[in-house]
Every structure is written in C-alpha cells, then in structure tokens.
Amino acid sequence: MDEIDRTLLSALRRDGRASLSDLAATLGVTRATVRARIEKLELRGVIRGYTVQTAQDLVDAPVRGLMMLAISGPGAERVMHRLTGHAAVKQVHSTNGKWDLIAEIGTETLEEFDRTLFDIRRIDGVETSETSLLLNSRKGGRRT
C-alpha cells in the first residue's frame, strides 16, 4: 500500500459517498486510477464494506458506551457468543492486554444501560469489567 492508497482510504473514511471525480481531484490522479485502486483494495480485503449510519441510529440508542471485560479461564468465546445475543450489545471485540473483550452497548435510557451492565456482569466467566459512557463520537472529522 502506497501513499495514494493511504490518502484514498482517508478520503473514503471522511466521505464514503465521494464521487470518483472528487477522489481523483483530491489525489491528483485519473478517475480510472481511483476506480482501479478501490477495486484492488476491495479484492485484497483492505476495504471490507461500506456502511451507513443514520440519525435514527443515535435516536434509537442515545445512551452508548464501551464495556471492557476480563474473562476468567478459557471462556472468552462462550461469553462473546452470549454477548452477541444481547439486544443492547451492538458489537463485541476481542482484544489483548488487561481486557479480553470490549462490548459496544447502546440503549434508550440510562436505566436500560444499567440493567444491561448488570446482565453482562452476571454471565458466567465475566471476572471484572470497566465501562465508559460515550459522550461524543467523531469519524472522519464529522460528528455522529
């Protein structure tokens, strides 16, 4: 991956709907070059997909947070499976270091968020946790 690819990825993170013409102008290359590079990045798995986040996503779950979890013993896969089945858990990430898993949680109210935390802490294998509420999120220079 060269500097053009890195700049292209950065531009797509800022605006995934940018036209090939706009991307070409930003990069100083032709539209054909931009199209070819995007196709290669997709084929290599660097670009894995495109998503849309709507205003309704935040309305439906305005209380959002990250719950870091330490799992006792070899039960991380089982705990991850339980977490992905919980309606308030939007994503689960495995990680290294102090925490084994990180759960992204979104609920309508703080009370529901608190109940979710309580439910997760009761899962067999969850040893300890630490949770941070997300106050503001930015991606590609835009507020979400």
Side-chain angles (χ1 to χ4, degrees), residues 97-118:
K98 180 179 179 181
W99 305 108
D100 300 302
L101 301 173
I102 298 175
E104 293 183 42
I105 301 169
T107 63
E108 291 184 30
T109 65
L110 278 172
E111 291 80 14
E112 185 182 351
F113 193 87
D114 187 47
R115 279 193 306 275
T116 300
L117 298 182
F118 183 75

Side-chain angles (χ1 to χ4, degrees), residues 57 61 79 92 120 125 133 141:
D57 293 337
V79 172
V92 180
I120 292 171
L133 286 173

Side-chain angles (χ1 to χ4, degrees), residues 38-110:
I38 288 173
E39 288 173 4
K40 285 179 185 175
L41 290 167
E42 289 172 342
L43 286 172
R44 289 187 3 226
V46 174
I47 296 176
R48 294 186 177 191
Y50 302 86
T51 63
V52 173
Q53 183 178 32
T54 67
Q56 191 63 39
D57 293 337
L58 296 179
V59 171
D60 291 341
V63 180
R64 299 171 298 137
L66 299 176
M67 183 178 198
M68 286 70 73
L69 301 159
I71 309 303
S72 61
E77 187 67 34
R78 185 181 38 75
V79 172
M80 183 180 271
H81 181 72
R82 290 275 312 272
L83 290 172
T84 58
H86 197 293
V89 176
K90 306 307 178 195
Q91 288 191 339
V92 180
H93 309 275
S94 60
T95 185
N96 65 338
K98 180 179 179 181
W99 305 108
D100 300 302
L101 301 173
I102 298 175
E104 293 183 42
I105 301 169
T107 63
E108 291 184 30
T109 65
L110 278 172

